Amino acid sequence: MSRFRSPVAKVLIVASLALFVVLWGAMIWTAFEHDAVPLTTLDPQGPFSTMIDDLVAPVFIIGGMVFVGVLGAVMYFVLRYREKGDDDLELPKQTHGHTAAEVAWTIAPGIVLAVVAFLTVGVILDLSAEEEGALRVEVYGAQWWWGYNYDITGDRSFDSDGDISTANELVIPVGRPVELRITSMDVIHSFWIPALNGKADAVPGMHRDWKIQADAPGVYRGQCTEFCGLSHANMRMLVRAIPADEFDEWVARQQQPAADPPADNELAVAGQEQFVNLCASCHLVDGLNNEQIAQLHEDDEFPLVAGVAPDLTHFRSRGTFAGGIYNLTYPNPAGDDSPFGATCTLEDLENCGDPTDIGLAGNPDNPLYRPFIEDWLRNPPAMKPMAAEEGRGMPNLNLTQEQIDQLVAYLDTLR
Amino acid sequence: MATPDPGQLALPSGNGAVEHRPLGVFTRPSSSKGWRSWFTSVDHKKIGVMYGAAALFFFIIGGLEALLIRVQLWAPRGTLLTADEYNQVFTMHGTTMIFLVVMPIGAAFANYLMPLQIGARDVAFPRINAFSFWCFLFGGIFLNTAWFLGGGADGGWFMYAPNSSVVFSPGHGIDFWNIGLLITGIASLTGAVNLIVTVLNMRAPGMTLMKMPVFTWMTLVTQFLLLFAIPVLTAAQVLLLFDRAFDANFFNVEAGGDPLLWQHLFWIFGHPEVYLMILPAFGLVSDILPVFSRKPIFGYPFIVFSGIAIGFMGWGVWAHHMFVSGIGPVSVLVFSLTTMFIAVPTGVKILNWTATMARGKLKLDTPMLFCIGLITMFTIGGISGVTHSVAPADTQQTDTYYIVAHFHYVLFGGAFFGFMAGFYFYWPKVFGYLMNETLGKVNFWLMFVGFNLTFGPMHVLGLQGMSRRIYTYDAGYGFEFWNQVATIGAFVLAGSIALFIFNIFYSRAKAKSMANPGPDPWDARTIEWMIPSPVPEYNFDPIPTITRRDDFWYRKYGETEDHMPVRIAATDEVCQSAEGEHDVHLPSPSYWPIVTAFGLPIVGYGLLYTHWLSLIGGLIVVAGIYGWALEPPDDPEAEHDHHDDDHGPVGEVEPDRAEDEDLSESEKEVETVG
């Protein structure tokens, strides 16, 4: 066989191996950098995600040691036992095996895995245990957004008087476990807030229990992770965790139906009319079109595919829209992820973050950022691929700029 | 039984008269030369080569799909593909690579190599073997015609219900996927029966199960996995077909159907599928590594039994694909533990391969480099696999790019590196010329670098929260850098594949002015290397008698008491020669396998467009089966009166005596040396 021992060859080999080492070194280094990676699984912010992280860390370490061991052995054998030239012809001893060694390295990984298994069993059971004093929220996925029904009254029903409904942004109290009952309106989705817990599939016709909890106030991002059709990539959600007293205030506001816009806001009054004509057959604004939407649900008992769209009663209390993929309001500057509380006004936008950076979620108390919502009303499928002609997603309503201005003015009043 | 009417489609047995050919084209073809012979060939070697060529063709299609994916994800909000196009491309990429590339390359090696390794003339059912191949090819082509008829499937290769229903995917893409894979499923199933029967019944005299080369063992395990796994997928696909074509409600939630039913059925198939993709490569490495380490495989029984253990345990782990589906904590716990412990037999293999290299004399030729690549890169995939088996960790990892990284380290770093080793190693045996060694080494290093650049960064992307199957991502999530590295890597990888293809043609051109590499260019160990390169149509003449594992090696070398090898015979003396007359009775070619298989995609198109077409396709299949059944057992023109023995070369007197001589000769030599 031809030899491959030219200097060029050596450079090629050394460069390849060096690249391999540098690549893996850089990968491990950056994996544990948590700045500007809002979906990272390695920076837990709640007790459940911390349990997972504590479990996976030793597994990673053991795995790394095993790999270094195997790689080291292979490299050593290659260097030590490689043929040393064309005249190196002596054949080695024909060893067929060594039963004791083989039994040993069958049992040894078994023992290591038994330790991992022991740790895993405990965490699986802890993660499936019910939590005392939890807030219960029904979570449902729909193509391509998320809806939430809160059991505020604690009667284990999600639609008694005083319970609230919202969409895409889940607001929770800090330090209190939240029990999720997850389901789907159409296909299978998966609810995942990496900082707070692993993911759980939303399966139509099935409710499954899951739980999250945040240890500190903040905005925690999530992404649908079960392929759910056309706009799977654009199905995001976020959790705003706030202190318990603020949460109670938030709930009190959400319990109110939407008020009509003040009469002196002519644009918004006109917008409400447009809403009733154009939007009210799919979107609920509590206090405006309840009967229309209720009828829709009655006609279609399991509202697969069509007939539901996000609840807009308190639309302006959210910082993002369209499945969490566009900012509705200006975000806080980078580094400040307070879920609520204004940081800027329209006059002084320097204290705002860049609204086109979706990694910085809009803060509902900051001013409205108009370009995205206007573009959306102008042509929704251009902003997010949808199959409205098949009854899934929002169609292009061919609105005029005047209609858009009126609708934005109305939506801005839905606080 | 009624005597077949000679006026019908086929000739009656043994009647060679020309006037009995009313439909001349359908009389049994006889030629085994020329391009036409490929369509009628029942030779396992030609079928193996066709499997390999078709798989490489589909590999290029799947690879181009991969490049589209990588370019789309180069930067946030990429615009090369729309969401709909992207969903089709990633679905077809996965489907193509699994069903039309990795599985058929495994089938190519099994077809070509396994009969040679056991000293057989052909597989047990040569015409069924041809039928398997044509089913695979037609199924694969049918699947890809979707691109020209409204777009590919868009539900992901796992095709979860209810997203796969007509309501959520009204086009025909998923129907093409479904029917195409039903057809390739027929190929896998008939192939599995064929190869199992071959291994169990057609081994050369003296080759007991524990003397079989490891690749043959892994083929046996793989085919058993296929035999039991494919019917489960077929059942699930028939349910889906009824749902989509005839408004049945198996997965329709509104009507009380259960979407998790699909998941269970799919993964009961899908996990054994993973092992049946990787085990052929494990077999190849186990046979190639000893050749270039110049010593036997370390712990043959452990290698074999760990493969069998993987085959059994592979059936008890499917629900680890469903840790987040809501199957309940008890199921999660059980499947978490079974999944962890399937790592034990895999680990045993890795350690035995490493030990095979220890104290050897390593010849670092291209096949060896790919073997070492497999051992190290598969280890990474295996370890990340263990991190998924920790179910709570998997709830963070599943459906992210971390999983994408994992299974590409297993299937590319594992299976495909093994196949590359196999290509470089067996190329001279199959085509009669060696691949260029310098290009081969550059090929390896380019592939090694490109592979790590492409799939390594996906570990980080996944752990930092990038979901799978998303056609785009936004700025602000920190996904840009590693996606760009991965895209660059993908082009390096594509370059290494291009270099491989270049090397094929370059080496072939160079080979014209070079001598034939001979039967045994690598000083190999197993009996396929004692016959001429390329392999003659009749394989062995005479069929060798096997006395021990690595039989060919021990025809060349004896061993002293302390296991030092001693040359006892020159390679030329123990190899078979292509010269002289070899009047070996071989199964005749046949038209019927390709005709029968051709009817199946027509039935498929009929199901999609007009049911009358299905009737025509069905008639072709039925006619094909009748023609097949009534076909004379032999070429009417062949004179086979003087030979009723299947493997008797001219001049061979008593096969038993010849075998005895063979045996005593080698044993005597060993003893003398000892």
Side-chain angles (χ1 to χ4, degrees):
Chain A
M1 291 301 99
S2 69
R3 289 285 154 253
F4 193 58
R5 295 214 171 107
S6 69
V8 181
K10 278 188 180 150
V11 169
L12 179 68
I13 293 169
V14 171
S16 300
L17 289 174
L19 189 67
F20 177 78
V21 172
V22 169
L23 175 75
W24 275 85
M27 275 164 45
I28 293 166
W29 181 266
T30 53
F32 294 95
E33 279 285 315
H34 304 316
D35 291 339
V37 277
L39 288 175
T40 186
T41 62
L42 300 174
D43 187 21
Q45 301 293 325
F48 309 127
S49 48
T50 305
M51 278 160 68
I52 296 174
D53 198 54
D54 289 348
L55 177 63
V56 77
V59 179
F60 276 139
I61 291 167
I62 293 170
M65 282 159 47
V66 171
F67 176 67
V68 170
V70 171
L71 185 71
V74 169
M75 295 297 289
Y76 172 75
F77 292 150
V78 166
L79 293 174
R80 172 82 174 72
Y81 297 114
R82 74 181 193 283
E83 203 176 43
K84 301 280 183 341
D86 287 335
D87 51 349
D88 186 11
L89 293 172
E90 198 194 334
L91 290 173
K93 186 178 164 183
Q94 302 290 295
T95 322
H96 293 267
H98 189 288
T99 309
E102 288 158 60
V103 171
W105 68 49
T106 308
I107 293 171
I111 292 171
V112 173
L113 287 166
V115 173
V116 175
F118 180 76
L119 298 171
T120 304
V121 170
V123 176
I124 291 175
L125 296 177
D126 287 349
L127 281 173
S128 58
E130 224 173 287
E131 297 292 317
E132 290 286 317
L135 170 70
R136 298 179 76 246
V137 181
E138 184 184 50
V139 175
Y140 59 91
Q143 282 184 326
W144 290 272
W145 56 280
W146 292 94
Y148 311 108
N149 299 318
Y150 288 67
D151 174 21
I152 298 295
T153 52
D155 61 354
R156 307 192 79 76
S157 150
F158 297 104
D159 58 359
S160 30
D161 265 353
D163 288 345
I164 57 177
S165 293
T166 173
N168 289 324
E169 298 193 357
L170 179 66
V171 179
I172 63 167
V174 166
R176 180 175 167 194
V178 182
E179 292 224 343
L180 309 176
R181 267 172 79 69
I182 302 177
T183 187
S184 168
M185 291 285 186
D186 38 48
V187 300
I188 301 176
H189 304 276
S190 194
F191 187 84
W192 186 38
I193 310 288
L196 304 184
N197 200 345
K199 57 186 76 73
D201 277 3
V203 182
M206 205 172 121
H207 275 92
R208 65 162 309 185
D209 296 316
W210 198 238
K211 57 188 180 184
I212 56 172
Q213 181 177 334
D215 285 338
V219 178
Y220 305 100
R221 316 298 307 240
Q223 159 83 44
C224 174
T225 38
E226 189 64 80
F227 179 65
C228 60
L230 195 59
S231 246
H232 167 57
N234 295 318
M235 186 167 167
R236 303 204 197 110
M237 59 288 205
L238 54 83
V239 168
R240 292 180 191 276
I242 51 178
D245 49 338
E246 279 183 45
F247 180 73
D248 293 340
E249 287 170 31
W250 179 84
V251 167
R253 280 201 307 281
Q254 297 283 319
Q255 283 169 330
Q256 302 301 317
D260 287 335
D264 60 341
N265 188 344
E266 284 168 26
L267 211 53
V269 172
Q272 189 184 33
E273 204 171 307
Q274 296 286 0
F275 187 91
V276 171
N277 292 335
L278 294 164
C279 320
S281 57
C282 297
H283 288 283
L284 173 71
V285 168
D286 188 17
L288 184 71
N289 63 335
N290 302 51
E291 279 170 29
Q292 208 172 347
I293 296 291
Q295 187 62 41
L296 204 75
H297 282 265
E298 239 163 63
D299 293 347
D300 194 358
E301 191 182 295
F302 206 97
L304 282 164
V305 187
V308 282
D311 182 322
L312 299 181
T313 311
H314 299 279
F315 179 62
R316 188 57 176 80
S317 72
R318 305 169 200 155
T320 59
F321 73 105
I325 60 168
Y326 292 110
N327 279 329
L328 180 64
T329 59
Y330 283 89
N332 298 340
D336 173 6
D337 67 344
S338 322
F340 293 103
T343 57
C344 64
T345 60
L346 275 178
E347 290 72 44
D348 129 66
L349 288 176
E350 284 144 38
N351 292 328
C352 289
D354 176 4
T356 62
D357 182 355
I358 191 63
L360 304 171
N363 179 337
D365 293 331
N366 283 345
L368 187 71
Y369 176 70
R370 296 184 61 102
F372 285 148
I373 186 73
E374 287 189 19
D375 285 349
W376 177 266
L377 290 171
R378 199 168 291 121
N379 186 2
M383 299 285 280
K384 173 172 175 173
M386 290 181 284
E389 68 284 0
E390 293 159 14
R392 299 175 288 136
M394 182 161 162
N396 183 353
L397 297 168
N398 297 308
L399 304 180
T400 63
Q401 185 60 43
E402 190 188 7
Q403 287 173 309
I404 291 170
D405 287 338
Q406 292 168 346
L407 278 170
V408 172
Y410 174 62
L411 292 172
D412 197 25
T413 67
L414 298 174
R415 303 260 169 168
Chain B
M1 209 177 128
T3 319
D5 176 4
Q8 289 304 309
L9 294 168
L11 281 171
S13 171
N15 192 337
V18 176
E19 60 267 29
H20 291 298
R21 290 189 188 174
L23 292 167
V25 68
F26 283 122
T27 53
R28 200 150 186 168
S30 56
S31 172
S32 60
K33 300 265 184 316
W35 62 271
R36 279 193 203 85
S37 69
W38 290 88
F39 295 98
T40 55
S41 179
V42 295
D43 179 355
H44 73 98
K45 296 181 290 298
K46 280 191 168 165
I47 291 169
V49 170
M50 288 195 288
Y51 261 115
L56 282 179
F57 169 72
F58 287 123
F59 181 65
I60 292 170
I61 294 181
L64 291 175
E65 286 158 359
L67 290 180
L68 287 176
I69 292 173
R70 286 315 322 161
V71 173
Q72 168 76 4
L73 296 178
W74 168 262
R77 294 275 147 198
T79 51
L80 178 73
L81 301 173
T82 63
D84 186 32
E85 288 162 354
Y86 184 88
N87 293 344
Q88 294 174 27
V89 167
F90 83 71
T91 301
M92 293 295 279
H93 166 73
T95 306
T96 302
M97 288 302 191
I98 288 167
F99 291 99
L100 307 182
V101 178
V102 177
M103 284 172 73
I105 293 180
F109 280 110
N111 259 289
Y112 197 100
L113 205 53
M114 182 271 287
L116 298 182
Q117 286 198 326
I118 62 172
R121 196 65 88 207
D122 202 322
V123 294
F125 309 112
R127 286 183 296 174
I128 290 181
N129 200 29
F131 174 70
S132 299
F133 168 73
W134 293 112
C135 278
F136 149 70
L137 185 67
F138 292 150
I141 291 171
F142 177 87
L143 185 60
N144 275 287
T145 55
W147 288 119
F148 309 104
L149 296 168
D154 59 357
W157 87 281
F158 57 105
M159 212 51 78
Y160 269 10
N163 193 39
S164 58
S165 68
V166 176
V167 177
F168 298 106
S169 185
H172 272 320
I174 289 178
D175 299 309
F176 276 105
W177 179 90
N178 200 23
I179 297 166
L181 293 189
L182 279 169
I183 297 172
T184 62
I186 296 171
S188 300
L189 201 59
T190 52
V193 174
N194 203 347
L195 297 180
I196 290 170
V197 174
T198 306
V199 175
L200 293 182
N201 287 301
M202 303 187 65
R203 299 189 307 277
M207 179 170 277
T208 58
L209 289 176
M210 289 308 279
K211 288 184 187 130
M212 294 197 309
V214 181
F215 176 76
T216 295
W217 255 116
M218 292 306 114
T219 298
L220 183 62
V221 175
T222 300
Q223 301 307 322
F224 269 110
L225 286 173
L226 272 171
L227 183 66
F228 296 120
I230 292 291
V232 184
L233 176 67
T234 302
Q237 289 190 301
V238 170
L239 302 186
L240 180 61
L241 182 71
F242 274 63
D243 263 16
R244 288 186 64 91
F246 309 120
D247 296 327
N249 288 313
F250 293 105
F251 306 114
N252 181 353
V253 179
E254 241 175 318
D258 185 355
L260 289 197
L261 172 65
W262 172 270
Q263 295 189 15
H264 280 291
L265 291 175
F266 188 83
W267 292 119
I268 288 173
F269 150 77
H271 206 80
E273 166 79 12
V274 173
Y275 294 109
L276 66 87
M277 285 193 281
I278 190 70
L279 287 177
F282 282 2
L284 286 171
V285 169
S286 305
D287 285 347
I288 298 172
L289 202 59
V291 172
F292 294 94
S293 301
R294 324 289 291 133
K295 61 195 270 285
I297 186 79
F298 193 88
Y300 172 90
F302 277 78
I303 290 270
V304 168
F305 282 110
S306 64
I308 297 172
I310 290 171
F312 277 101
M313 292 171 81
W315 293 94
V317 298
W318 80 87
H320 68 215
H321 296 271
M322 300 166 64
F323 280 158
V324 302
S325 300
I327 52 174
V330 175
S331 305
V332 167
L333 208 147
V334 170
F335 281 96
S336 186
L337 298 187
T338 56
T339 306
M340 273 174 209
F341 287 99
I342 204 168
V344 172
T346 323
V348 167
K349 277 183 185 284
I350 301 267
L351 292 169
N352 273 308
W353 289 330
T354 312
T356 301
M357 290 165 65
R359 302 212 177 84
K361 172 112 348 157
L362 309 183
K363 283 164 56 146
L364 297 175
D365 293 320
T366 308
M368 182 64 166
L369 292 180
F370 278 107
C371 287
I372 295 170
L374 181 146
I375 296 171
T376 48
M377 295 302 105
F378 177 81
T379 301
I380 297 177
I383 290 168
S384 59
V386 172
T387 66
H388 312 320
S389 75
V390 179
D394 189 61
T395 64
Q396 289 283 26
Q397 296 160 356
T398 191
D399 283 322
T400 70
Y401 264 84
Y402 188 76
I403 301 284
V404 181
H406 158 72
F407 69 71
H408 280 99
Y409 268 79
V410 171
L411 288 181
F412 202 115
F416 203 79
F417 272 47
F419 292 149
M420 288 299 288
F423 287 143
Y424 274 94
F425 184 62
Y426 282 107
W427 207 268
K429 181 56 55 190
V430 177
F431 297 105
Y433 65 90
L434 279 155
M435 296 270 259
N436 182 287
E437 198 44 38
T438 308
L439 284 178
K441 281 177 173 139
V442 177
N443 187 178
F444 168 77
W445 287 108
L446 210 56
M447 189 173 277
F448 177 80
V449 166
F451 163 75
N452 275 290
L453 280 177
T454 310
F455 302 113
M458 293 182 186
H459 290 102
V460 186
L461 287 170
L463 290 174
Q464 294 190 334
M466 181 164 164
S467 282
R468 287 172 79 173
R469 306 176 180 125
I470 53 173
Y471 75 97
T472 195
Y473 54 91
D474 269 315
Y477 287 91
F479 298 150
E480 292 91 337
F481 176 73
W482 287 116
N483 269 305
Q484 286 172 3
V485 173
T487 302
I488 293 167
F491 281 92
V492 176
L493 202 49
S496 75
I497 300 294
L499 186 65
F500 172 64
I501 293 167
F502 173 75
N503 196 358
I504 292 174
F505 293 104
Y506 175 82
S507 303
R508 197 177 67 159
K510 286 271 163 188
K512 287 186 180 129
S513 56
M514 277 154 58
N516 183 286
D520 184 26
W522 309 109
D523 197 7
R525 313 181 68 89
T526 40
I527 58 170
E528 68 270 25
W529 296 100
M530 67 187 286
I531 51 177
S533 308
V535 181
E537 206 182 350
Y538 51 82
N539 297 354
F540 292 88
D541 189 17
I543 304 281
T545 299
I546 308 302
T547 56
R548 56 192 300 180
R549 215 175 281 154
D550 289 343
D551 193 78
F552 178 49
W553 174 266
Y554 289 106
R555 286 166 192 245
K556 296 182 285 184
Y557 297 94
E559 252 176 51
T560 62
E561 262 170 13
D562 54 352
H563 297 297
M564 293 310 288
V566 180
R567 180 64 96 157
I568 53 172
T571 304
D572 290 348
E573 289 170 34
V574 292
C575 286
Q576 297 187 353
S577 163
E579 280 152 36
E581 199 185 342
H582 296 273
D583 184 9
V584 179
H585 180 113
L586 289 169
S588 294
S590 171
Y591 291 112
W592 297 110
I594 190 171
V595 170
T596 310
F598 186 70
L600 294 169
I602 296 178
V603 175
Y605 287 114
L607 282 169
L608 298 188
Y609 296 105
T610 162
H611 290 186
W612 287 105
L613 202 57
S614 291
L615 193 66
I616 295 171
L619 284 174
I620 294 176
V621 173
V622 172
I625 291 171
Y626 265 87
W628 184 324
L630 301 175
E631 189 171 44
D634 202 355
D635 171 8
E637 281 158 58
E639 292 171 36
H640 52 283
D641 293 340
H642 67 283
H643 260 305
D644 34 355
D645 166 347
D646 198 34
H647 44 77
V650 170
E652 187 195 355
V653 251
E654 283 188 30
D656 285 352
R657 260 221 356 243
E659 282 157 10
D660 284 345
E661 275 167 21
D662 213 340
L663 187 130
S664 55
E665 189 189 352
S666 51
E667 282 204 335
K668 219 166 25 195
E669 290 296 328
V670 174
E671 279 161 17
T672 335
V673 168

